[in-house]
Amino acid sequence: MNSKKIQDNIIEDSVYEVPTFYKLKYIVIGISMLVIGFVFNFPVKSIIKTQVENALLQNRSCPIEYSELDISLFLPNVNFITPKINGKCFNKPNESLLLDNLQVRTTIPVLFPPGIKLHAEINKGDTKLNLYPRVSLGRTDLNISNSNITGKFISTLIGQENLIAGNLDIKGVINLENHQLSKGALRISSKDFNINSQTINNFTIPALNIGNINFSGDLVKKKLDIKLRAGNEAAPVFAEFKGSIFLNMRNMSASGLKLTGEFSLSDDFLKKNSFIALLLSSKKKVDGKYIINVNGSLSRPSISIL
């Protein structure tokens, strides 16, 4: 049997080789140091700040204001200090709505189409909006989920404090191409929607405990086709509407309306509100319901009962 002798003063080359594990370790450490050096020496924060400011400047019809941006680079996060919704959003240009919190953070990269996915969280009291924009070249897809808007928040936006009570759940998808609305879908529902008492033209309108609300809207370009069902047969008010809203992106309150619907009022409600019964006395019913058309604009709707 032949055997190969190794001299005592000769050491095998394998002794001098660095194990593969340590090679990978050094590579990872080297890359990490390179990334850290890049982050601390490259003006990443100023670039993010510029991008955020440019994005907000494009939204002139409903500006978001803030005192400063707090930017965190690790798990990138942008926190808006003292964020405000400009009064232009709710037809009061000289006022603003202070939010409790507004922050945007990245989640995961998107491989197809290539881009990034963000998470924007907005809070005001019990109102909470979770928006998930997916931004790619020339396109933005916005998902809305796990979101709730209170009646108090809506009342503030429309400029009538405490008009609406209850909570609305919201979900939807909105697609933008080259910063222009392309298509979308929106769903809103509530089980405790109420309209509080109000005075219109010296007439006191009593509170309406509507309860259930179901709204669906489908958007193509600037035309929003909607369906609305409010209340039920046992509620003081039951109404169903369908039609279109023609969006004016420069001035949302000037968006055009073309809606038709039907509604009914309970006998108890009419007995307690005789002046409403008097107004409806000359109107015809179809299958126990009044037919109504709504035209004009969001700020100045023209309502006619047939």
Side-chain angles (χ1 to χ4, degrees):
M1 181 176 179
N2 294 328
S3 61
K4 185 178 179 181
K5 277 190 170 183
I6 300 176
Q7 298 181 12
D8 294 339
N9 61 343
I10 297 177
I11 301 176
E12 293 185 15
D13 292 339
S14 60
V15 174
Y16 295 98
E17 291 183 358
V18 179
T20 302
F21 169 77
Y22 288 102
K23 288 181 180 179
L24 292 175
K25 181 178 178 181
Y26 296 143
I27 291 172
V28 171
I29 292 174
I31 293 175
S32 300
M33 294 300 294
L34 180 63
V35 171
I36 292 172
F38 175 81
V39 168
F40 280 100
N41 291 282
F42 196 78
V44 178
K45 286 190 176 182
S46 62
I47 291 175
I48 294 175
K49 183 178 180 181
T50 300
Q51 292 296 321
V52 170
E53 290 174 345
N54 290 339
L56 293 178
L57 285 174
Q58 294 176 5
N59 187 21
R60 297 181 180 179
S61 61
C62 186
I64 302 294
E65 303 171 347
Y66 56 92
S67 60
E68 61 178 299
L69 295 176
D70 181 16
I71 301 173
S72 174
L73 297 180
F74 294 99
L75 296 176
N77 179 74
V78 179
N79 188 36
F80 293 76
I81 307 300
T82 59
K84 299 178 183 178
I85 299 178
N86 190 282
K88 290 182 179 179
C89 301
F90 44 95
N91 214 24
K92 288 189 174 182
N94 296 323
E95 299 182 14
S96 60
L97 176 61
L98 180 64
L99 301 175
D100 295 336
N101 177 59
L102 171 57
Q103 62 177 341
V104 180
R105 56 182 178 269
T106 59
T107 55
I108 56 175
V110 179
L111 299 179
F112 185 81
I116 59 172
K117 187 174 182 180
L118 306 173
H119 176 202
E121 183 177 332
I122 302 171
N123 298 93
K124 174 64 176 178
D126 292 328
T127 290
K128 183 176 182 178
L129 292 173
N130 285 293
L131 313 177
Y132 298 89
R134 187 176 66 180
V135 183
S136 55
L137 186 61
R139 180 184 177 90
T140 300
D141 299 314
L142 175 65
N143 284 276
I144 306 169
S145 62
N146 300 319
S147 297
N148 173 77
I149 293 182
T150 63
K152 183 178 181 180
F153 185 81
I154 297 173
S155 299
T156 302
L157 287 181
I158 64 178
Q160 299 190 46
E161 293 294 330
N162 301 317
L163 174 62
I164 297 173
N167 297 278
L168 296 102
D169 295 321
I170 299 177
K171 59 182 179 180
V173 178
I174 299 173
N175 306 115
L176 297 91
E177 294 181 359
N178 297 319
H179 307 294
Q180 299 294 324
L181 275 174
S182 175
K183 59 181 179 180
L186 186 65
R187 303 292 182 262
I188 302 174
S189 62
S190 176
K191 294 182 179 179
D192 59 354
F193 188 83
N194 296 318
I195 300 177
N196 295 320
S197 178
Q198 59 181 312
T199 301
I200 300 177
N201 295 331
N202 295 323
F203 286 101
T204 300
I205 307 297
L208 297 175
N209 299 317
I210 296 174
N212 295 330
I213 285 281
N214 286 287
F215 170 90
S216 66
D218 295 288
L219 174 69
V220 177
K221 298 298 182 182
K222 296 181 180 180
K223 181 185 177 185
L224 179 64
D225 294 324
I226 72 166
K227 291 182 180 180
L228 172 66
R229 182 184 177 93
N232 54 52
E233 301 292 348
V237 176
F238 173 68
E240 290 184 295
F241 285 90
K242 63 180 180 179
S244 300
I245 301 176
F246 302 91
L247 301 179
N248 184 330
M249 303 310 299
R250 292 183 177 274
N251 182 5
M252 194 59 68
S253 63
S255 298
L257 301 173
K258 189 176 182 181
L259 308 173
T260 60
E262 57 185 28
F263 72 94
S264 62
L265 302 172
S266 68
D267 292 337
D268 182 64
F269 178 86
L270 291 174
K271 286 179 182 178
K272 293 179 179 178
N273 302 277
S274 56
F275 72 96
I276 295 179
L278 180 63
L279 290 174
L280 295 174
S281 61
S282 61
K283 307 300 179 182
K284 296 181 180 180
K285 288 184 178 182
V286 177
D287 297 328
K289 296 181 177 64
Y290 298 99
I291 307 301
I292 184 171
N293 290 330
V294 181
N295 297 291
S297 66
L298 285 175
S299 60
R300 293 185 178 182
S302 175
I303 302 173
S304 61
I305 303 175
L306 303 182

